[in-house]
Amino acid sequence: MEPVYAGCRPGVAGEIVRLHALYYAREWGFGAPFQAMVANELSAFLAAYDPHDDLFLNAFDRDTLLGSITIDRTVTGGGGAHLRWFIVSEAARGRGIGSTLMARAMAFCDARGVARCWLTTFAGLDPARRLYERHGFRLTKEQGADRWQGGVREQLFERIIKRRDG
């Protein structure tokens, strides 16, 4: 069955937090502070969410969340976009859902003339990095800061679209 791509549904925010908490605890040892950070930041985003400026896109199989991606322009003052909460459930990996979510997110940015889109991640998430790079993101900064409290090196990836003047 093909996934259904949709925005906000009842309970989806909790499911996004759950997917992040389970994956990052299992694979990276992240604990309660990480889970709380995801929940708090996602909650703040949804409270300020504007469907014209922001994208909150989720893939579902009936009522099961398969993956999620967000383009957050609430914190930028219109000067760019922050790609956030991109995740695909373990059961859905390898089905092209991540590629579809990313392609739709970049199309959203392009349709709105977003010249700069960025994301923060950390070293070691190689499949995600390859996907980011296929969609025009480049590593622009790496530092020892670890806002996730998991002992990782934070990375900044940016996708810059140079506009041609007429």
Side-chain angles (χ1 to χ4, degrees):
M1 175 179 239
E2 283 296 309
V4 172
Y5 293 88
C8 199
R9 287 187 178 177
V12 73
E15 287 298 309
I16 292 168
V17 172
R18 182 178 179 275
L19 285 180
H20 279 81
L22 290 173
Y23 173 77
Y24 289 101
R26 182 182 64 246
E27 299 296 326
W28 297 92
F30 289 12
F34 171 75
Q35 186 173 186
M37 181 189 73
V38 172
N40 288 331
E41 291 179 5
L42 180 57
S43 177
F45 165 78
L46 288 172
Y49 172 64
D50 177 348
H52 181 271
D53 286 333
D54 305 311
L55 177 70
F56 185 63
L57 183 61
N58 303 288
F60 297 95
D61 178 1
R62 295 184 187 89
D63 290 333
T64 302
L65 179 66
L66 303 175
S68 183
I69 197 166
T70 299
I71 298 295
D72 180 1
R73 295 178 69 194
T74 65
V75 295
T76 66
H82 188 180
L83 189 152
R84 308 182 81 179
W85 307 299
F86 177 51
I87 195 161
V88 175
S89 72
E90 188 173 341
R93 290 195 187 119
R95 295 176 44 191
I97 293 167
S99 292
T100 299
L101 287 167
M102 183 65 72
R104 289 184 181 201
M106 294 304 95
F108 178 90
C109 288
D110 292 346
R112 281 154 182 79
V114 174
R116 176 180 177 257
C117 184
W118 77 94
L119 64 95
T120 54
T121 187
F122 56 87
L125 299 171
D126 297 332
R129 179 179 180 158
R130 287 190 293 276
L131 183 60
Y132 301 145
E133 289 174 339
R134 277 198 310 269
H135 286 274
F137 286 87
R138 298 293 170 251
L139 176 64
T140 58
K141 187 176 182 182
E142 188 167 18
Q143 60 190 10
D146 176 13
R147 66 188 199 97
W148 299 284
Q149 301 178 32
V152 295
R153 291 184 53 81
E154 185 172 309
Q155 296 177 321
L156 174 67
F157 281 80
E158 295 179 286
R159 178 181 185 254
I160 308 291
I161 304 298
K162 296 184 181 185
R163 297 185 184 150
R164 293 184 221 176
D165 293 339

